[in-house]
Amino acid sequence: MNTLLVILGPTGVGKTELSLQMAEFFGCPILSSDSRQIFKEMKIGTAMPTPRQLARVKHYFIATHSIFDTYSAGQYEADALQLMETLFRQHDTLMLVGGSMLYIDAVCKGLDDIPNIPADIREKVKTEYEQNGLEWLQQNLQRLDPVHYAKVDTQNHKRMLHALEVCISAGKPYSSFCTGKAKERPFKIVKIGLNRPRPELYERINKRVDEMMQEGLLAEAQELYPYRHLNPLNTVGYKELFNYMDGTWSLDFAVNMVKQDSRHYAKRQLTWFNADKSIQWFHPDEFSIKKIKDLKI
């Protein structure tokens, strides 16, 4: 049976170099499961693989879209599965590499079938939210779907807006569509998780932010500043520097916030991944080609 080898872990842990070595060992391409590296304008802030790294192994879903495009986890699921069907005719093993939790689940488990939202309802809900604010949104979602409201981040207006849109358009609670049931996949899935002790991981994250700044992250963010309202740019590394450009924060404070928010994101990633008991965890320095052979992939 064909095998999908998934390399996952928190931001800054060291997935890129190890995945390149493994892809060279298997002679297979890499499918990125990073929801931001897909946008070509966001090279430095997303730690996109370098041209030299991309030349070593064929990559998919790297710099394939623009920040002006609309792209969702559902679209990624469909695109990735269609591509894998073709690639599995040429390779016994494929690699999925990244840290975007929803994108990984989309390929490995499938997403719940959430109904499409009519444009008029989406516009109506958006307008009412803009007029009445976050508290209005919270109250209405709690009224229409108390089950989902108890689990959702009640400060994340985008997620609550989407759930409320579904409630109104479908006439049923958003939570009723969230079955959490994994879909069957016609390939074997092996998940390798990479992690480091927290002080070591946080030190790497801090160092990487400093390196990004040296590589020109500020200039990249300045070019993107006019489009800060676009969803892809609501991303760690950009939104903090936008606050500096607004005059709200000093540059030193903004850079420190990039580091802090990156560490918080890594913690959220690990919380999500730790719920998946099928993941085999390794320190990146302890995972070798020999271990790959021992896994009998």
Side-chain angles (χ1 to χ4, degrees), residues 7-263:
I7 307 296
L8 55 83
T11 184
V13 76
K15 297 182 289 293
T16 300
E17 182 55 38
L18 183 60
S19 67
L20 287 167
Q21 295 174 19
M22 295 175 68
E24 288 169 336
F25 172 78
F26 284 110
C28 71
I30 290 174
L31 284 74
S32 169
S33 59
D34 188 302
S35 65
R36 290 303 186 252
Q37 289 183 357
I38 206 166
F39 298 111
K40 59 187 178 184
E41 297 91 348
M42 301 168 65
K43 290 184 173 63
I44 299 173
T46 63
M48 197 177 290
T50 65
R52 179 174 292 185
Q53 290 170 328
L54 293 172
R56 283 174 59 183
V57 172
K58 174 68 176 175
H59 284 68
Y60 294 92
F61 301 108
I62 294 285
T64 52
H65 290 70
S66 168
I67 57 172
F68 303 105
D69 298 331
T70 299
Y71 198 75
S72 67
Q75 289 171 292
Y76 175 76
E77 176 185 2
D79 292 345
L81 291 177
Q82 183 178 31
L83 174 63
M84 289 164 61
E85 185 178 355
T86 299
L87 293 176
F88 270 136
R89 296 181 191 136
Q90 307 158 32
H91 306 276
D92 293 331
T93 300
L94 295 176
M95 289 181 59
L96 185 74
V97 180
S100 294
M101 300 84 82
L102 197 57
Y103 274 37
I104 293 169
D105 280 357
V107 171
C108 296
K109 303 177 182 178
L111 300 178
D112 291 311
D113 295 320
I114 306 296
N116 293 324
I117 311 299
D120 60 330
I121 289 180
R122 174 164 286 146
E123 190 59 36
K124 183 176 184 295
V125 173
K126 179 184 175 185
T127 300
E128 291 202 38
Y129 162 68
E130 290 172 347
Q131 291 174 348
N132 300 303
L134 185 63
E135 188 175 350
W136 172 88
L137 182 56
Q138 293 168 338
Q139 289 174 351
N140 277 275
L141 183 59
Q142 185 175 29
R143 176 174 58 84
L144 293 176
D145 191 350
V147 172
H148 184 65
Y149 182 81
K151 295 186 292 184
V152 74
D153 177 358
T154 55
Q155 299 303 309
N156 189 324
H157 73 275
K158 291 183 179 178
R159 291 192 178 177
M160 288 196 296
L161 275 174
H162 179 60
L164 186 59
E165 290 165 355
V166 172
C167 292
I168 293 171
S169 63
K172 295 169 59 178
Y174 175 82
S175 57
S176 68
F177 297 98
C178 302
T179 64
K181 186 177 180 181
K183 298 176 182 175
E184 291 291 326
R185 297 303 191 208
F187 46 81
K188 179 183 176 184
I189 299 172
V190 176
K191 294 179 181 176
I192 302 298
L194 302 179
N195 198 10
R196 298 174 185 267
R198 187 159 295 183
E200 182 183 337
L201 176 63
Y202 285 1
E203 183 180 351
R204 285 176 59 89
I205 289 172
N206 293 341
K207 183 181 177 182
R208 186 166 78 163
V209 172
D210 289 334
E211 290 171 350
M212 287 177 174
M213 291 300 294
Q214 292 167 11
E215 291 165 6
L217 176 58
L218 180 59
E220 183 175 81
Q222 285 171 332
E223 288 185 13
L224 297 172
Y225 181 69
Y227 316 110
R228 62 177 300 182
H229 61 284
L230 296 176
N231 186 56
L233 292 172
N234 183 28
T235 297
V236 175
Y238 296 95
K239 59 185 181 180
E240 296 85 358
L241 292 177
F242 292 155
N243 282 335
Y244 158 67
M245 294 170 209
D246 283 340
T248 307
W249 293 346
S250 70
L251 181 57
D252 285 346
F253 185 80
V255 172
N256 283 330
M257 288 304 296
V258 173
K259 294 176 181 179
Q260 178 179 298
D261 291 344
S262 297
R263 296 193 300 267

